């Protein structure tokens, strides 16, 4: 398999003729290669997107009525569902995620496209009361051409929530998927072309972040950047955007707390707490990677969680176990080195999962790990790991729980487990993050629910109607009619 870029509804070979190997993380074997994009390829993709939009929104995509955009997005959603098994298999082989997670990602994508399809013709402005003799109104216009830099953990879902929303708002898109996981995004662009999206509405340039990604963020033909990935790269993207005053949305991960009070329904909480860290092998920006437990139930919670962790299995995606391998060697070595440091620092392992006997030795498998009594200031409690590692620590009272929960550089999501209604609301208001879940974690994904962070978790919102607003520019028109 050798894949070129997908630009203007066609496969386009990389200008410099180079390709990047694609590795199957379940056994280290080759899946083929993808184009190594450079600034030339980015130029071609941006030019295609600009002509789809047109100088004054008069291009084939820019001039399309909102209702027609909506119909196309509905058709896209249906086509995704028709290709569900193929897309899930592609995603599972490329990223290593279990087939059951990959299938769920495809269902979420279809739903994102459906949600944004229905929103296209409901995105309206207002009329404003003003001085006599004026008629003042606001209109929401697309930015023009939006760039989408997508990471490797959820390519299909992140395509849905950023590209879906941007298209619905009327923008043309240039997408740069991660070098480790580009196959599903390329296939999605091909499917969109086949069902009637005009040339240039969706373009995909693959390649390395420092080459294709950097060229895209610096390109003057880009009117808005949506970035999901690490804090370090997010800062670089933000700086590149600031140099030319380009609006940007950054979704940069977290160190999200799951807080268990003494009155929590543990039967309900514990399976959710486990899933919140092992889902996608912990490679989830909103993973519940810190566990804060009231000291009176700490030992009981740890004992029960240890039993659950020992039963977790990592293995090939097709076996549909709790976890597949990590995405690549770099991530695998990073997680191993973090665990080695934990051991050297004397941090206790409360329990580990197991590798399935069919997990190839050359695959990037990491069993689930439950760590206990992790000091709040330790890097394990402060830094994102992006692996199936849960750091548990006790707290004495509500004030300490809040202080610990808010005590990192991140602020993406938080989970709170308590039956006390007033405490639920106090916590919900005092936690510094973008989403708070009370007696659940993640609310089953909810495409309708605005998502994003504060502090180093980033800014701007994805998902829901809020994301649509971010992909528009508000224009005020004042007419003096006397
Ligand atoms: P990364 O942030 O470097 O990569 C994310 C995307 O950005 C990829 O498409 C990459 O090609 C692109 N990119 C890289 N450098 C770029 C640049 N200079 N300009 C523009 N685009 C660029 O992430 P990574 O190195 O693949 O993973 C490292 C860590 O990031 C992980 O361990 C994890 O902690 C975090 N991460 C977070 C998320 C999330 O959902 N928030 C997703 C993936 C990784």
């Amino acid at each position: 398999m050798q894949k070129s870029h997908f630009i203007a509804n066609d496969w386009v070979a990389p200008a410099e003729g180079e390709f990047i190997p694609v590795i199957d993380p379940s056994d280290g074997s080759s899946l083929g290669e993808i184009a190594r994009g450079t600034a030339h390829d980015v130029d071609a993709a941006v030019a295609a997107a600009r002509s789809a939009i047109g100088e004054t929104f008069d291009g084939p995509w820019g001039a399309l009525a909102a209702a027609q955009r909506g119909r196309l997005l509905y058709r896209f959603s249906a086509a995704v569902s028709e290709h569900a098994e193929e897309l899930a298999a592609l995603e599972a082989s490329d990223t290593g995620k279990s087939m059951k997670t990959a299938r769920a990602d495809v269902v979420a994508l279809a739903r994102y496209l459906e949600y944004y399809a229905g929103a296209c013709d409901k995105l309206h402005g207002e009329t404003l009361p003003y001085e006599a003799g004026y008629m003042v109104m606001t209109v929401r216009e697309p930015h023009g051409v939006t760039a989408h830099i997508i990471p490797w953990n959820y390519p299909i879902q992140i395509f849905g929530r950023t590209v879906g929303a941007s298209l619905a708002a009327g923008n043309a898109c240039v997408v740069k998927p991660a070098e480790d996981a580009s196959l599903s995004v390329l296939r999605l662009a091909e499917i969109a072309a086949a069902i009637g999206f005009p040339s240039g509405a969706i373009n995909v340039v693959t390649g390395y972040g420092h080459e294709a990604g950097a060229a895209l963020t610096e390109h003057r033909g880009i009117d808005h950047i949506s970035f999901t990935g690490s804090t370090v790269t997010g800062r670089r993207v933000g700086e590149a955007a600031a140099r030319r005053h380009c609006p940007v949305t950054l979704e940069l991960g977290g160190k999200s707390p799951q807080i268990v009070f003494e009155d929590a329904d543990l039967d309900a909480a514990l399976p959710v707490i486990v899933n919140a860290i092992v889902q996608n092998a912990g490679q989830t920006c909103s993973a519940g990677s810190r566990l804060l437990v009231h000291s009176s139930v700490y030992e009981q919670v740890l004992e029960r969680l240890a039993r659950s962790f020992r039963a977790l299995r990592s293995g090939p995606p097709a076996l549909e176990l709790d976890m597949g391998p990590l995405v690549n060697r770099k991530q695998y070595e990073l997680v191993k080195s973090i665990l080695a440091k934990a051991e050297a620092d004397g941090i206790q392992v409360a329990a580990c999962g197991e590798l399935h006997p069919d997990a190839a030795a050359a695959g990037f498998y990491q069993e689930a790990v439950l760590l206990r009594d992790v000091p709040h200031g330790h890097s394990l409690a402060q830094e994102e790991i992006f692996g199936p590692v849960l750091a548990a620590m006790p707290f004495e009272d509500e004030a300490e729980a809040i202080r610990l929960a808010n005590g990192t550089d991140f602020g993406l999501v938080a989970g709170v487990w308590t039956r006390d209604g007033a405490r639920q609301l106090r916590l919900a208001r005092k936690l510094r993050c973008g989403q708070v879940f009370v007696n659940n974690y993640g609310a089953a994904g909810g495409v309708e629910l605005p998502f994003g962070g504060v502090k180093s978790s980033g800014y701007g919102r994805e998902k829901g109607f809020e994301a649509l607003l971010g992909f528009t520019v508000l224009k005020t028109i004042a007419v003096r009619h006397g």
Side-chain angles (χ1 to χ4, degrees):
M1 179 276 303
Q2 187 184 68
K3 290 282 176 199
S4 289
H5 304 301
F6 197 80
I7 298 172
N9 282 358
D10 210 353
W11 295 105
V12 176
E16 300 197 5
E18 289 193 38
F19 289 83
I20 298 172
V22 180
I23 304 296
D24 182 339
S26 71
D27 58 11
S29 66
S30 166
L31 287 172
E33 46 186 23
I34 53 167
R36 179 173 173 173
T38 58
H40 298 293
D41 305 308
V42 169
D43 279 345
V46 174
R50 292 231 75 91
S51 64
I53 285 289
E55 279 284 309
T56 52
F57 294 97
D58 51 355
W61 177 246
L64 211 59
Q68 276 177 282
R69 282 203 308 276
R71 282 185 207 113
L72 264 177
L73 280 166
Y74 274 125
R75 229 187 282 160
F76 196 6
S77 171
V80 162
S81 298
E82 280 158 27
H83 291 87
E85 201 57 19
E86 176 208 340
L87 286 165
L90 203 55
E91 190 83 324
S93 65
D94 207 9
T95 64
K97 65 177 70 197
S98 145
M99 268 303 278
K100 74 179 171 201
T101 311
R103 284 196 190 100
D105 289 353
V106 177
V107 170
L109 166 63
R111 175 71 188 119
Y112 276 119
L113 295 174
E114 179 187 58
Y115 176 85
Y116 287 119
C120 288
D121 53 2
K122 284 122 196 132
L123 196 54
H124 44 69
E126 296 177 319
T127 52
L128 310 179
Y130 194 54
E131 291 180 11
Y134 281 95
M135 171 78 173
V136 182
M137 64 202 106
T138 56
V139 288
R140 288 208 168 264
E141 297 183 339
H143 290 281
V145 176
T146 54
H148 302 259
I149 299 179
I150 294 183
W152 39 258
N153 54 344
Y154 289 94
I156 279 186
Q157 283 215 42
I158 295 172
F159 179 96
R161 71 191 193 209
T162 73
V163 178
S166 182
L167 291 169
N171 301 286
C173 303
V174 179
V175 189
K176 210 300 282 172
E179 48 273 42
D180 290 299
S182 293
L183 301 182
S184 59
V185 170
L186 287 166
R187 182 73 182 114
L188 287 171
E190 189 183 31
I191 290 172
I195 59 154
F197 273 84
S199 166
I202 306 172
N203 309 276
V204 181
V205 176
T206 58
Y208 292 118
H210 65 280
E211 293 177 346
L216 189 57
T217 55
E218 284 158 15
H219 203 291
R220 303 200 75 81
I222 293 295
D223 303 306
H224 178 281
I225 301 168
S226 158
F227 172 82
T228 309
S230 65
T231 38
V232 174
T233 304
R235 191 173 304 120
R236 271 190 209 125
V237 169
E239 284 165 1
R243 275 196 291 277
R244 54 190 186 80
H245 308 291
C246 179
V248 59
T249 300
L250 300 177
E251 200 277 88
L252 308 178
K255 192 71 188 175
S256 298
Q258 309 196 64
I259 310 168
V260 181
F261 284 93
E262 62 279 13
D263 63 343
D265 176 351
L266 295 184
D267 292 338
L270 298 188
V272 175
I273 287 169
V274 174
N275 186 55
I277 183 63
V278 304
Q279 178 184 315
N280 210 37
Q283 302 166 117
T284 302
C285 45
S286 55
S289 53
R290 286 188 298 150
L291 179 64
L292 316 182
V293 187
H294 190 264
S295 55
S296 65
V297 289
Y298 185 68
E299 289 306 331
Q300 184 195 350
V301 165
L302 273 255
E303 204 173 297
R304 290 179 63 175
L305 280 180
R307 278 202 294 276
S308 305
F309 267 67
R310 283 187 206 105
L312 292 168
R313 295 288 173 273
S314 308
L319 297 186
E320 305 199 18
L321 303 169
D322 303 297
M323 287 178 289
L326 300 182
V327 71
N328 58 23
R329 178 169 300 285
K330 182 178 145 203
Q331 194 62 24
Y332 172 78
E333 286 173 356
L334 175 73
V335 174
K336 289 284 180 216
S337 72
I338 289 170
L339 289 171
K341 179 169 170 10
E343 194 184 348
D345 291 348
I347 291 182
Q348 285 181 59
V349 175
C352 282
E354 280 182 18
L355 299 192
H356 188 276
D358 288 354
F364 309 130
Y365 294 99
Q366 170 60 54
E367 55 278 75
V369 180
L370 173 62
L371 299 170
R372 59 169 296 154
D373 309 342
V374 177
H376 172 61
H378 194 277
S379 56
L380 276 165
Q382 291 291 321
E383 290 167 20
E384 190 170 47
I385 298 175
F386 242 55
V389 181
L390 180 59
M393 66 198 76
F395 66 83
E396 294 303 327
D397 56 25
E398 186 179 309
E400 187 184 15
I402 294 167
R403 188 173 56 75
L404 294 176
N406 287 339
T408 75
D409 286 343
F410 294 103
L412 191 57
V413 317
V416 180
W417 294 88
T418 176
R419 289 181 165 106
D420 179 335
R423 175 183 275 162
Q424 293 170 359
L425 292 174
R426 278 196 303 276
L427 267 283
R429 298 303 300 270
K430 289 186 177 177
L431 292 171
R432 286 206 63 208
C433 57
Q435 288 186 325
V436 177
F437 301 108
V438 177
N439 293 336
N440 77 95
Y441 195 87
V447 309
E448 305 88 339
L449 315 181
F451 174 68
V454 299
K455 301 193 279 182
S456 294
S457 291
Y459 45 80
R461 290 293 177 265
E462 296 181 350
K463 303 175 68 169
F465 211 82
E466 197 68 25
L468 266 184
L469 302 182
F471 282 112
T472 65
V473 181
L474 192 73
K475 182 185 275 177
T476 305
I477 302 172
V479 180
R480 175 112 175 94
H481 53 65

